[in-house]
Amino acid sequence: MQLPPAVHARLAGGPGAAEPLPVERSPKAGAAPFRFTARQVRFPREHEFFEDGDVQRHLYLQDVLTQVAGAPERPRVPEFTCQVAGCCQVFDALEDYEHHYHTLHRNVCSFCKRAFPSGHLLDIHILEWHDSLFQILSERQNMYQCLVEGCTEKFKTSKDRKDHLVRRHLYPADFRFDKPKKSISPATPRATVQVSAEALGAEGEQAEGDAMEVCSEPAGERHMAGRRIPPTICFGQGASRGFKSTKKRNKHQ
Amino acid sequence: MWLRRRGCLRPAGCGVEELRRRRREREAALRKARREQQLISKRLLRDDAPEEGEGGCVAVILGQAEIQQFLQLAQRGTEEKERERALVSLRRGLQHPETQQTFIWLEGSMRTLVGLLTSNQALLQLEAARCLHELSHSEQSAVAEACLPATSYLLTYLSGHSSDFIELCLYTLGNLIVESEAVRRQLLPQGIVPALAACVQSPHVTVLEALGYALSQLLQAKEAPEKIIPSVSAGSSVLGSTLPQHMLQLLQPGPKLNFGVAVEFAWCLHYITCSQVNNALLITHGALSTLGLLLLDLAGAVQRTEDAGLELLACPVLRCLSNLLTEAAVGAVGEQMQLRDERVVAALFILLQFFLQKQPSLLPEGLWLLNNLTANSPSFCTSLLSLDLIEPLLQLLPVSNVVSVLVLTVLCNVAEKGPAYCQHLWPGPLLCSLLGTLAFSDTEVVGQSLELLQLLFLYRPEAAQAFLQQSGLQALERHEKEAQLQDRVHALQQTALHG
């Protein structure tokens, strides 16, 4: 297909529309038995007109799949230690360090040193755990905000929020970034006093320091593995969930 | 700017013929899938070096006991490196479908994996995410759906900061999204759209490309036009979010344009526009002018590099423009928003030339745009004439019947505007070409040729004379018996003979 040089020149030129030649139609144009009318055409999603282009698109997606050795190996550097005070993790690749830093040191609560996966969750945590004004306000109005970004609902209690997360947003009932605050008040009903059993020694995490805390299963909720902890079993404030061996519990998770 | 991030690599030991054969097979499979409306493709992110001395990466099949062992080591190992290595071994095993099956049916395995995914050990987290990614890539629904317990966490991590990790989560989510409507019915209430919208501000090109991929999978879903795209409730739908503006920003030509990113978002935009949900909204965000400028940029790139990958971006851009143009005509949109720049026509022809050489199957799509540009626009029709593009257009006639019909339709668009236009169509090569197309056996091609002849004879009677002199009547006679054509053939015969 030969293109006149004017075309390339025009592309390189400035914007502008051609001055149209005068339009003059005769009523006989397109009259029966002829049928032509100039019209724009749309094609809906599944139209076969798109078949070729769609197939090319998916070949491309699949092609990316077959690249294996092409990606360069991560450059190794001489071992170095994380510079954050108290952390002695050692690295030999920068990308590993980046992820470590963002996971453990970036969104850390300055009050209790817990680390969170995002600034959003950290902000909510500080508000709900360390802001005394929050406690006062929450007695009068709904202050517990939904964790899902884009959802503007607020709730009276942490439990109500959890119910909302489970029912409305299909979150797991044991979502690990939604812990009710540990209460030390004796007036608090038993159901809300819980120590995160899983935080103690479960899956290698420590409860103190900068661990991301795991929310243990409040009584009566549907547990992922189908276990139910009867509401009457609660071994007092500050104690772990008694004789139930945590090892055994983890094995079945 | 136009360099692609990753090169395409061939598996070792494959000859060119073998590759072509495999590609043809894959293409046939994809065509079949599309006709059944089951077009699913998943993207796998793997950066393991292949085993030395072997033909390729051989995934190890792990048995139940081994999987359990690795999981326990990962969970409870005393040394960090040991725990990491256990997960790496598990991940390698999970590259094999059999291991995947064994894994998902092993009680507690997914729960343990999710526990590792959310642990406080960053590198374990990363490896656990890679394991999930392998699972998400499976062709078997049961395996991919077994990943559902992890989705709320994958979405939570999208608001984090570690770009590699986010990229991994995005590709995993993208694979899961495309798996089934059941998966999407969980992901949508979990807030996938706002989570994706939050990622679009990332400065990392790799994250953006992954985001585009995931979003394109979401938008390709069958239920997308009703449930995912419309702004029914703000914030939870694509059009109700900030995604459209950001998408268009990422498609603007300039030094920051990244090819891989642009390809993904152009496809996203295509799935939105062809759903015809609210294209007027896109136009108010400047979609027509952005895409028009991108088309110009593409034509420029084609002139410089002849890179065979450019059609991957050209295709969705052409489609979006074609569909959006139909909106602009219908709605009451301001003058500035409509596409008027003549350079678009020049760019389109440069792309048509490129398609002819590299990807002829895309010619119909390019000509579709040309139809939508010229149908109601005297200005664009004039451009075709003043830039001498009639002859190049005619050179496309022999390609295929579909292409011929489209070429003839565009020519009709020009001719129907009246005598001032037909004056430039004849004298010229057009009549000769029409005598050629009249010899085609395809009824639609011949039918469109007859329409064009009618317009030509009407506005340029001298052309009828020339037609007669070039044995036009005999060319018409061939089709006198054809039911679809005879009335028009007869009418033309009359016009030619009697004026």
Side-chain angles (χ1 to χ4, degrees):
Chain A
M1 185 186 182
Q2 302 282 2
L3 289 177
V7 171
H8 301 272
R10 186 64 195 90
L11 182 67
E19 192 57 45
L21 294 166
V23 177
E24 204 187 312
R25 293 188 179 93
S26 155
K28 288 192 215 159
F34 296 95
R35 28 190 137 131
F36 179 77
T37 20
R39 69 165 71 89
Q40 293 177 321
V41 176
R42 297 181 170 178
F43 288 109
R45 289 167 67 103
E46 291 305 328
H47 201 282
E48 61 179 1
F49 187 75
F50 290 142
E51 181 180 303
D52 283 310
D54 283 356
V55 166
Q56 297 308 317
R57 156 68 172 164
H58 281 265
L59 277 173
Y60 167 71
L61 286 180
Q62 291 180 352
D63 265 348
V64 176
L65 143 74
T66 63
Q67 295 156 32
V68 178
E73 265 239 359
R74 287 172 175 204
R76 300 279 147 189
V77 297
E79 273 195 2
F80 62 96
T81 320
C82 178
Q83 290 302 298
V84 174
C87 181
C88 38
Q89 196 82 19
V90 173
F91 304 93
D92 62 359
L94 290 172
E95 293 83 358
D96 293 346
Y97 178 61
E98 188 205 19
H99 183 55
H100 162 86
Y101 180 85
H102 288 311
T103 306
L104 287 183
H105 302 309
R106 175 98 184 228
N107 298 303
V108 174
C109 175
S110 44
F111 298 97
C112 63
K113 307 300 174 211
R114 283 184 181 83
F116 293 85
S118 68
H120 179 236
L121 287 174
L122 173 62
D123 291 342
I124 292 179
H125 161 82
I126 292 177
L127 194 63
E128 295 175 9
W129 283 50
H130 302 296
D131 187 338
S132 40
L133 189 58
F134 179 88
Q135 297 305 323
I136 297 170
L137 286 174
S138 68
E139 282 158 30
R140 291 160 190 268
Q141 45 184 273
N142 293 349
M143 294 288 289
Y144 287 88
Q145 40 178 304
C146 176
L147 298 183
V148 174
E149 293 206 52
C151 181
T152 51
E153 302 265 354
K154 295 195 178 173
F155 303 89
K156 193 104 180 79
T157 65
S158 161
K159 177 165 193 316
D160 289 344
R161 173 181 56 203
K162 175 185 279 303
D163 285 344
H164 166 83
L165 278 175
V166 171
R167 273 195 230 113
R168 175 78 174 77
H169 295 295
L170 306 184
Y171 265 48
D174 62 348
F175 186 64
R176 287 155 204 263
F177 305 123
D178 175 28
K179 281 187 52 47
K181 183 171 178 181
K182 282 183 236 173
S183 165
I184 48 173
S185 154
T188 313
R190 285 195 154 196
T192 61
V193 174
Q194 33 199 302
V195 174
S196 175
E198 292 178 38
L200 296 173
E203 292 150 15
E205 293 181 50
Q206 304 302 314
E208 71 282 308
D210 52 350
M212 277 184 280
E213 302 237 341
V214 173
C215 175
S216 72
E217 195 50 40
E221 300 251 358
R222 243 193 53 190
H223 193 284
M224 289 294 279
R227 286 164 155 258
R228 282 176 160 273
I229 300 151
T232 49
I233 295 184
C234 185
F235 300 95
Q237 306 161 15
S240 62
R241 279 242 168 86
F243 340 108
K244 280 205 160 85
S245 153
T246 49
K247 269 195 210 150
K248 193 172 164 202
R249 185 188 163 104
N250 283 332
K251 207 179 204 171
H252 288 288
Q253 283 155 11
Chain B
M1 183 219 313
W2 291 103
L3 290 171
R4 281 203 269 158
R5 178 161 76 98
R6 303 171 210 172
C8 270
L9 250 238
R10 314 183 182 327
C14 265
V16 174
E17 261 317 303
E18 173 67 13
L19 281 175
R20 283 210 192 110
R21 190 188 63 80
R22 281 197 202 170
R23 192 181 167 92
R24 277 198 296 271
E25 272 173 20
R26 283 193 293 142
E27 204 174 315
L30 285 170
R31 263 181 219 288
K32 180 166 182 295
R34 194 192 185 278
R35 282 177 200 158
E36 295 162 7
Q37 307 206 349
Q38 300 274 5
L39 202 49
I40 288 182
S41 288
K42 299 192 178 187
R43 229 176 176 185
L44 181 68
L45 203 66
R46 220 186 248 165
D47 53 13
D48 264 344
E51 311 280 307
E52 296 295 331
E54 289 175 61
C57 207
V58 180
V60 180
I61 303 180
L62 299 175
Q64 206 181 62
E66 289 164 292
I67 295 177
Q68 261 171 330
Q69 196 186 24
F70 287 138
L71 280 175
Q72 270 178 14
L73 255 180
Q75 237 186 350
R76 304 203 162 288
T78 42
E79 258 205 48
E80 254 170 62
K81 282 291 169 199
E82 189 185 38
R83 298 172 72 185
E84 226 184 292
R85 270 198 300 266
L87 267 187
V88 169
S89 304
L90 178 61
R91 192 221 329 150
R92 291 230 173 93
L94 286 174
Q95 290 175 10
H96 197 288
E98 260 192 61
T99 315
Q100 292 171 358
Q101 284 289 330
T102 314
F103 180 87
I104 63 167
W105 292 114
L106 183 58
E107 197 186 330
S109 57
M110 185 52 72
R111 186 161 176 80
T112 306
L113 195 59
V114 171
L116 290 162
L117 180 70
T118 56
S119 75
N120 66 346
Q121 300 275 39
L123 296 182
L124 283 182
Q125 239 190 36
L126 209 40
E127 273 308 320
R130 290 193 184 122
C131 288
L132 263 176
H133 183 68
E134 291 289 344
L135 289 167
S136 77
H137 189 259
S138 168
E139 312 245 301
Q140 307 181 34
S141 292
V143 175
E145 287 184 8
C147 299
L148 281 177
T151 56
S152 58
Y153 299 109
L154 292 173
L155 290 175
T156 304
Y157 289 135
L158 293 185
S159 314
H161 304 278
S162 169
S163 61
D164 278 355
F165 191 59
I166 294 177
E167 186 190 355
L168 191 54
C169 292
L170 282 168
Y171 279 118
T172 307
L173 282 165
N175 290 343
L176 293 176
I177 285 169
V178 87
E179 188 51 53
S180 68
E181 194 169 349
V183 171
R184 294 188 291 269
R185 271 202 297 271
Q186 172 167 309
L187 285 171
L188 284 165
Q190 282 185 344
I192 186 164
V193 175
L196 293 178
C199 279
V200 83
Q201 315 247 21
S202 168
H204 301 277
V205 151
T206 51
V207 169
L208 291 172
E209 190 173 340
L211 169 63
Y213 166 74
L215 190 58
S216 74
Q217 300 288 53
L218 192 59
L219 292 167
Q220 204 193 344
K222 276 194 198 111
E223 74 275 18
E226 293 92 54
K227 305 211 178 124
I228 303 176
I229 299 174
S231 22
V232 165
S233 45
S236 68
S237 76
V238 174
L239 285 180
S241 73
T242 56
L243 281 165
Q245 297 100 296
H246 283 113
M247 271 197 261
L248 287 170
Q249 262 171 35
L250 290 165
L251 288 170
Q252 270 167 17
K256 284 203 197 144
L257 182 68
N258 176 279
F259 181 80
V261 173
V263 166
E264 298 309 314
F265 284 105
W267 280 95
C268 287
L269 212 53
H270 161 60
Y271 294 129
I272 296 178
T273 53
C274 69
S275 302
Q276 317 283 3
V277 172
N278 189 358
N279 287 342
L281 178 67
L282 293 172
I283 295 180
T284 58
H285 285 311
L288 273 177
S289 84
T290 299
L291 291 168
L293 289 171
L294 186 54
L295 194 75
L296 299 185
D297 213 34
L298 269 166
V302 155
Q303 287 180 294
R304 287 190 304 273
T305 69
E306 286 246 327
D307 182 353
L310 289 174
E311 77 279 4
L312 292 165
L313 180 54
C315 174
V317 171
L318 290 173
R319 293 180 179 189
C320 289
L321 278 169
S322 305
N323 269 323
L324 285 173
L325 280 171
T326 67
E327 294 293 329
V330 169
V333 185
E335 281 294 309
Q336 317 88 293
M337 291 297 173
Q338 303 206 30
L339 202 57
R340 291 240 176 275
D341 194 339
E342 187 182 35
R343 293 177 298 170
V344 169
V345 174
L348 185 50
F349 270 83
I350 291 170
L351 286 171
L352 288 173
Q353 185 186 48
F354 172 72
F355 289 157
L356 185 60
Q357 286 161 12
K358 304 281 181 174
Q359 193 73 267
S361 59
L362 285 179
L363 282 170
E365 305 210 19
L367 289 167
W368 170 36
L369 177 57
L370 193 56
N371 174 73
N372 285 7
L373 285 170
T374 52
N376 301 330
S377 171
S379 172
F380 278 130
C381 288
T382 306
S383 297
L384 273 185
L385 297 169
S386 60
L387 291 171
D388 264 327
L389 291 169
I390 303 297
E391 179 143 14
L393 207 51
L394 293 172
Q395 287 170 24
L396 292 175
L397 283 169
V399 171
S400 70
N401 288 335
V402 172
V403 169
S404 297
V405 170
L406 286 164
V407 167
L408 292 167
T409 308
V410 169
L411 291 166
C412 285
N413 288 348
V414 176
E416 70 92 28
K417 307 264 180 311
Y421 293 78
C422 287
Q423 228 172 13
H424 294 269
L425 290 177
W426 189 88
L430 178 60
L431 201 57
C432 192
S433 297
L434 281 173
L435 286 161
T437 56
L438 282 177
F440 280 34
S441 52
D442 184 87
T443 320
E444 242 197 292
V445 175
V446 176
Q448 209 66 9
S449 312
L450 298 176
E451 300 285 341
L452 186 50
L453 281 169
Q454 193 240 357
L455 293 167
L456 201 56
F457 292 174
L458 183 59
Y459 295 128
R460 200 84 166 105
E462 307 89 325
Q465 292 308 306
F467 181 73
L468 286 175
Q469 281 158 24
Q470 291 173 49
S471 317
L473 280 180
Q474 286 89 311
L476 286 175
E477 267 163 30
R478 293 179 59 161
H479 305 288
E480 270 172 347
K481 305 282 186 250
E482 180 63 54
Q484 299 245 25
L485 302 171
Q486 43 188 209
D487 292 340
R488 290 180 281 178
V489 165
H490 193 66
L492 276 177
Q493 285 166 332
Q494 294 303 307
T495 311
L497 288 171
H498 308 297

